[in-house]
Amino acid sequence: MNRFGFAEYEDMTDLSYSVDVSGMKEVLGAIVTLVLSEETDFLDSLSDSAQADFVVPLGMAARMLSNGEYSAVEFLSAASTVRYCAEPHMKEFPDELVQMLAKLPR
């Protein structure tokens, strides 16, 4: 577990050298904005289980992003957790969100 509460695995270090972390940061930021923005009703449209499974790690990732002080491995840990937690609920998400989530690492 890292300081942000996300699990880190050995392969994430290797992955951090081969992915565009800054590009993924934009994608994760866009997901945060879409889902957690008070200007949209997206959050209210989610089932209770999607809110519990997906929104909690997304909120943790949002706090990490706003902090701005994280390593590539910490970022990848957060991004992959968000995707993993979203996958069981993707059928209820709009295509735009599903496409953004698919850009995050597994």
Side-chain angles (χ1 to χ4, degrees), residues 1-2 4-9 12 28 53-61 73-88 90 101 104-106:
M1 297 290 275
N2 66 29
F4 296 106
F6 295 106
E8 289 183 9
Y9 300 98
M12 288 184 178
L28 186 56
D53 296 344
F54 168 60
V55 176
V56 171
L58 184 62
M60 292 169 57
V73 172
E74 289 171 327
F75 173 81
L76 290 171
S77 177
S80 61
T81 300
V82 167
R83 179 174 177 168
Y84 176 81
C85 293
E87 285 184 342
M90 284 200 195
L101 287 163
L104 298 178
R106 286 186 159 183

Side-chain angles (χ1 to χ4, degrees), residues 11-24:
D11 62 341
M12 288 184 178
T13 301
D14 293 336
L15 182 62
S16 71
Y17 298 123
S18 63
V19 297
D20 175 16
V21 173
S22 64
M24 272 197 265

Side-chain angles (χ1 to χ4, degrees), residues 27 31 90 93-104:
V27 171
I31 293 169
M90 284 200 195
F93 296 164
D95 289 340
E96 175 187 13
L97 178 57
V98 171
Q99 290 172 7
M100 287 190 283
L101 287 163
K103 294 178 182 177
L104 298 178

Side-chain angles (χ1 to χ4, degrees), residues 27-40 42 58 62:
V27 171
L28 186 56
I31 293 169
V32 166
T33 299
L34 175 66
V35 176
L36 300 180
S37 173
E38 292 179 11
E39 297 173 10
T40 68
F42 185 83
L58 184 62

